[in-house]
Amino acid sequence: MYSADRKLFTLVSILIGIGIVLSYTLTPYTTLLFDVSQFHFVIRQSIFGLLGISIIFGLSQLNPDKWLKPIGLTLFAVSLILMIAMPFLPESVVSAVGGAKRWIKVAGFSLAPVEFFKVGFVYFLAWSFSRKLGHHDGMGLKNEFKRFLPYAVIFVMAMFIIAFLQKDIGQVVVLGATLLFMLMFAGSSFRFFFTILGGIFTAIVIFILTAHHRILRIKSWWALAQNSVLGLLPDSIADKLRVPVEVEPYQIGNSLNAIHNGGLFGTGLGDGTFKLGFLSEVHTDFVLAGLSEEFGFIGLLFVVFIFLWMIQRIFKIANRSEDMSIYLFSMGIGLVLSFEFLVNAYGISGITPIKGISVPFLSYGGSAMLGAAFGVGMVLMASKKAKMDKGKKL
């Protein structure tokens, strides 16, 4: 058995280190707003960052033949049970924001089970797909649907819990996209792929139309994006699609202004202005905007380069794996991290509506950090079984 991929471990550690720095430089206004120490957020992020690195390193040392399956299925089962139970737990145990119970209180911290569910869900799909699915071999669309039905039931149940009970449609988008591509990698036909894609798109539209706050987010986004889009269409069509600006898209507007203010080289560490009350949650959902303002396009390009290199290492582990479950799991984790980054980046730049998805390893938050750490740690554990190319390391 080979050693774990050291490059992947190093790249993730660099991203975690950058996230810790950002949790300090982007939070001066937030610390004053909540009347806490100026080191409040950086200390907490440092704790979770070091814990995340420890988890990744610890998992990478384990034997994948012995530990990968128990850890993956335990994450899936326990986090699913917690998400089902959370609406019925008292507020002394769970934290509620906007009527949605998403976090469980643990030793002064709040952890979101959905972050660990994503990793467990990906492993469950990889483990099950490798046993039940294979190449479609002309089996027909009807038989492919029959084969997929049990997974559809599980996904719909999880989607109901996350989208309706926890009011977090962004996670559903990430999980739905990951499920779709994992199906394709597991051997489903393109016709089945596009049929499921249409079904998921329809479900997302229904979720948006059944919640007023999601409709407001769409209107806020469209109010900002409509001029550039409708300018490409004939006036007769553009006038019908244009909506009045009922909700001021100040978050996206300030995010774009922060990115523009950073220019090529940025304002400098700690010298950003939009973090001073103009752009709320800049250290969480809008961390890339804060990064762009203080470190400029060069700083953002560096972070994107490190992130893409990390994803490339994960996909390389997948492609070198002869075990189908490890191949699918590594692909799934790489897809989850990629979709989270893209959904966040597109949201803060106004290309798509904001979904409230954090940037892996960069955004402030312990749950997202630890959940992603479990995912990468398990990939590193699995990488020890990846096939070498003529005896060379990965």
Side-chain angles (χ1 to χ4, degrees), residues 157 208-209 283 327 342:
M157 181 174 66
I208 292 173
L209 296 179
H283 58 303
Y327 164 74
L342 289 174

Side-chain angles (χ1 to χ4, degrees), residues 17-27 283 287 290-291 295 362:
I18 295 173
I20 292 173
V21 172
L22 293 174
S23 68
Y24 176 72
T25 186
L26 298 181
T27 55
H283 58 303
V287 67
L291 169 72
F295 295 93
L362 292 180

